[in-house]
Amino acid sequence: MAAKYIFVTGGVTSSLGKGIISASLAKLLQARGFSVTIQKFDPYINIDPGTLNPYEHGECFVTEDGAETDLDLGHYERFLNKATSQANNVTTGRIYYHVITQERQGAYLGKTVQVVPHITDEIKRRMLLLGESGEFDIVITEIGGCVGDIESLPFIEAVRQLRWELGVNETCVIHLTLVPYLKAAGELKTKPTQHSVRDLSEAGVQPDILVCRSEYHIPSDLRKKIALFCNVKQNSVIESIDAETIYDVPLLMRKEKLDERVISKLKLPQKGEPELETWKEFLGRLKNPTAEVNIGLVGKYVELPDAYKSIVESFVHAGAANECKVNIKWFQSENINNENVASLLQGMDGVLVAPGFGERGFKGKLESIRFVREAGIPFLGICLGMQCAAVEFARNVLGLENAASTEMDPETPYPIIDLMEDQKEVTQKGGTMRLGAYTCELKKGSKAFSIYGKAKISERHRHRYEFNNNFLADFEKAGMLASGINPDTGLVEVIELQNHPWFVAAQYHPELKSTVLNPHPLFVKFVKAAMNYTKSK
């Protein structure tokens, strides 16, 4: 069977949760036995979100093949338990870059290059790419931004053309919109939804299904009104109410029969009821914890939790695996110093020092690590967190005064963390780091080996600076073991303290691989260590 295409658009306002709705629908269709993938088309002109400040756009999610992508791809992977790739995230910048490069190479033979057909043709080609691979029955394409935005127009136009070209039962458009509640009037209002659908229709695309985000239940008379004014069937007006956790959304969408509407629109073969038992078991463990721990997350973007989205979700998965409620306490690393670190962190059952770039908040991270190392509190360091752990150890245990990373102090006498040789010539910022999956070998008998239960692992990276192996012998002599090494380059991937209850730090990003069905072992064991620490207090 040729792949069928579902397009998810959004109106009224951004951040309505198109990513979660797309991932939930994909989960339901996957649970019915279909092979599904999701892709995100972003209307901004950056080639990828790799150079965006996390405050602008949340975290940057890295795929196995090293693509720096939108954080929605993290949701897709966590829900579907399937890896995404470069092909799953496309930006306006990438589309234009490709078309302009083609034009410079003379591909258009003297034609005037225009938004229609050249840009829209390239968008359509990318929309169909995954479907033509033969791997998938259904491709869900989420269009970023809002209908009515100037930058979204070429994408909507591409959808209009594809619907026309592919045929009536080959595509389905789901439009996500807002039904706000006006306190003063004491009622839900449908007008924003009507306007949003009108904007979409003016661009030539009539939605098949409306998913209405609301804080309150939408009664049937309002659904009738929305259906009438927006030209959709009444049973295709779907309510999406605020959920306790994003992992409830597939079950809420199942109750609203979103998957059934899609199956009937696309004339898909009925494959029986969705198999959601393991999902329900996960939710059962998540909502009925038997223990509770407080984990301190020390980072520099803590004002926007989305900047650490994958870490937060990894704690949700690991908490459920341990039947333990994980309370994350956020600490702005800039505000931590020698005087206040003990009072801030002593109530924690575990501390995670988060990834990041640049000097801001570096000293606070070092102080946090010194405190938990000396106090015996379980510690997990990720990427820059691992580099900070190495610098802190060099300064306070090895006595190397002013030891640092050359990222923070290019003149340091002890460059514990340094640029790799092949990075020293790099001047461009975008897409030039060590990105994507690399293998790592764990030393038998180490804590890292016991956490993973195997010697060879593969993890995703996103960094420029590495541990400087010139200091390795001194580290190991003083009790800091390099327990994970990249077999091809000899670079240090994991370090751990031998005379500490649980002190592990990784150069890679374990949070990027944690899913509902496969919680990441590092997070699972870290939460377990925090539970043991609570009991021992």
Side-chain angles (χ1 to χ4, degrees):
M1 148 178 133
K4 307 261 187 179
Y5 297 89
I6 299 168
F7 298 99
V8 180
T9 59
V12 185
T13 167
S14 59
S15 305
L16 285 181
K18 289 192 296 290
I20 301 294
I21 292 293
S22 303
S24 299
L25 173 59
K27 180 75 222 167
L28 291 173
L29 294 169
Q30 186 192 53
R32 285 175 176 270
F34 294 104
S35 171
V36 191
T37 189
I38 320 179
Q39 52 189 2
K40 171 92 187 267
F41 279 60
D42 270 311
Y44 50 74
I45 294 173
N46 303 59
I47 298 280
D48 58 47
T51 53
L52 287 177
N53 183 328
Y55 283 133
E56 287 266 336
H57 213 71
E59 76 172 5
C60 173
F61 187 83
V62 179
T63 59
E64 287 285 294
D65 61 353
E68 293 177 286
T69 67
D70 186 79
L71 65 77
D72 274 335
L73 269 74
H75 291 312
Y76 306 163
E77 291 202 8
R78 288 187 279 274
F79 275 63
L80 292 180
N81 203 27
K82 288 258 191 300
T84 53
S85 73
Q86 189 82 49
N88 294 73
N89 191 201
V90 180
T91 66
T92 291
R94 183 156 281 164
I95 300 278
Y96 272 83
Y97 186 73
H98 178 85
V99 170
I100 289 166
T101 307
Q102 293 278 88
E103 186 272 333
R104 290 290 83 186
Q105 291 167 356
Y108 301 113
L109 297 174
K111 286 238 182 331
T112 306
V113 180
Q114 293 175 293
V115 174
V116 182
H118 301 98
I119 296 296
T120 48
D121 280 355
E122 178 58 17
I123 293 172
K124 286 192 296 186
R125 185 182 76 79
R126 303 267 183 148
M127 283 175 169
L128 298 174
L129 212 52
L130 286 167
E132 286 163 352
S133 69
E135 284 177 58
F136 305 106
D137 304 322
I138 301 161
V139 178
I140 299 177
T141 302
E142 180 194 339
I143 311 278
C146 251
V147 167
D149 294 347
I150 285 177
E151 55 258 44
S152 295
L153 278 172
F155 293 105
I156 303 295
E157 171 59 19
V159 171
R160 184 192 71 77
Q161 293 179 23
L162 273 183
R163 299 197 84 188
W164 182 249
E165 289 162 19
L166 292 171
V168 72
N169 295 320
E170 303 307 304
T171 65
C172 172
V173 172
I174 298 172
H175 188 56
L176 190 62
T177 159
L178 180 68
V179 178
Y181 180 79
L182 282 194
K183 225 182 202 158
E187 58 184 0
L188 289 162
K189 290 294 182 187
T190 65
K191 195 58 79 183
T193 295
Q194 295 174 41
H195 280 297
S196 176
V197 172
R198 189 183 67 192
D199 281 352
L200 190 57
S201 303
E202 278 178 358
V205 176
Q206 168 61 40
D208 302 300
I209 297 169
L210 292 181
V211 176
C212 302
R213 285 281 280 135
S214 174
E215 294 171 15
Y216 297 90
H217 286 292
I218 302 172
S220 61
D221 60 327
L222 269 194
R223 292 192 194 212
K224 210 172 188 170
K225 183 180 176 183
I226 291 170
L228 177 67
F229 283 112
C230 297
N231 258 353
V232 296
K233 290 180 181 161
Q234 195 179 332
N235 65 4
S236 292
V237 177
I238 304 268
E239 165 190 286
S240 170
I241 206 147
D242 292 356
E244 192 186 329
T245 156
I246 56 171
Y247 301 108
D248 277 332
V249 179
L251 301 183
L252 294 172
M253 290 301 105
R254 171 82 193 104
K255 207 168 152 195
E256 285 284 305
K257 303 196 165 128
L258 175 61
D259 49 337
E260 290 178 30
R261 299 281 80 81
V262 167
I263 284 169
S264 104
K265 167 69 178 78
L266 293 175
K267 298 263 188 292
L268 285 161
Q270 287 286 353
K271 292 195 176 193
E273 292 298 297
E275 208 324 289
L276 291 164
E277 281 320 300
T278 45
W279 194 268
K280 286 176 183 165
E281 278 166 26
F282 159 77
L283 277 171
R285 288 196 306 276
L286 180 65
K287 291 180 177 184
N288 302 292
T290 55
E292 195 169 331
V293 294
N294 295 319
I295 302 280
L297 193 150
V298 178
K300 60 192 260 194
Y301 306 117
V302 295
E303 292 80 5
L304 182 78
D306 266 7
Y308 302 113
K309 191 68 186 160
S310 293
I311 292 176
V312 173
E313 297 308 322
S314 299
F315 276 125
V316 174
H317 310 153
N322 283 296
E323 294 188 28
C324 173
K325 182 171 193 266
V326 178
N327 302 314
I328 298 177
K329 308 283 185 198
W330 303 87
F331 294 99
Q332 168 56 265
S333 53
E334 274 188 291
N335 301 338
I336 297 176
N337 56 47
N338 192 15
E339 276 75 56
N340 65 11
V341 65
S343 61
L344 289 173
L345 297 182
Q346 65 191 7
M348 296 300 114
D349 305 310
V351 170
L352 181 144
V353 172
F357 294 91
E359 197 179 349
R360 189 167 66 80
F362 185 65
K363 287 193 177 76
K365 290 183 176 180
L366 296 185
E367 282 303 331
S368 305
I369 293 166
R370 181 189 60 74
F371 176 75
V372 296
R373 178 177 59 76
E374 291 172 354
I377 296 171
F379 167 77
L380 176 60
I382 297 178
C383 200
L384 181 63
M386 176 267 204
Q387 298 177 358
C388 290
V391 170
E392 187 279 328
F393 190 80
R395 286 186 185 181
N396 299 323
V397 179
L398 300 180
L400 303 176
E401 206 180 323
N402 296 328
S405 161
T406 52
E407 181 184 7
M408 317 306 168
D409 177 7
E411 305 303 314
T412 173
Y414 304 109
I416 304 297
I417 306 293
D418 201 2
L419 271 182
M420 298 180 291
E421 283 306 312
D422 62 352
Q423 286 284 343
K424 287 185 177 169
E425 305 307 311
V426 172
T427 52
Q428 281 201 316
K429 290 272 188 283
T432 53
M433 291 181 270
R434 180 145 83 102
L435 287 164
Y438 287 84
T439 50
C440 167
E441 280 176 2
L442 303 175
K443 288 186 180 159
K444 289 203 166 69
S446 68
K447 187 166 250 102
F449 181 84
S450 72
I451 288 166
Y452 282 91
K454 55 184 179 185
K456 202 167 195 174
I457 59 166
S458 166
E459 292 282 4
R460 298 182 197 175
H461 290 250
R462 182 176 183 246
H463 59 97
R464 252 189 198 91
Y465 292 79
E466 303 281 357
F467 182 86
N468 184 342
N469 282 350
N470 295 337
F471 295 94
L472 190 52
D474 293 344
F475 266 66
E476 300 216 314
K477 210 180 292 169
M480 178 76 87
L481 176 71
S483 54
I485 303 281
N486 180 302
D488 306 317
T489 57
L491 292 168
V492 173
E493 300 276 28
V494 187
I495 57 174
E496 59 184 64
L497 257 187
Q498 290 173 292
N499 54 351
H500 189 284
W502 209 96
F503 189 105
V504 181
Q507 179 61 83
Y508 48 77
H509 288 262
E511 73 275 17
L512 298 177
K513 289 187 75 162
S514 188
T515 69
V516 168
L517 299 181
N518 272 325
H520 197 285
L522 260 177
F523 280 89
V524 173
K525 295 297 199 302
F526 178 47
V527 170
K528 186 83 184 141
M531 289 162 73
N532 292 337
Y533 179 79
T534 317
K535 284 179 201 151
S536 71
K537 276 201 285 200

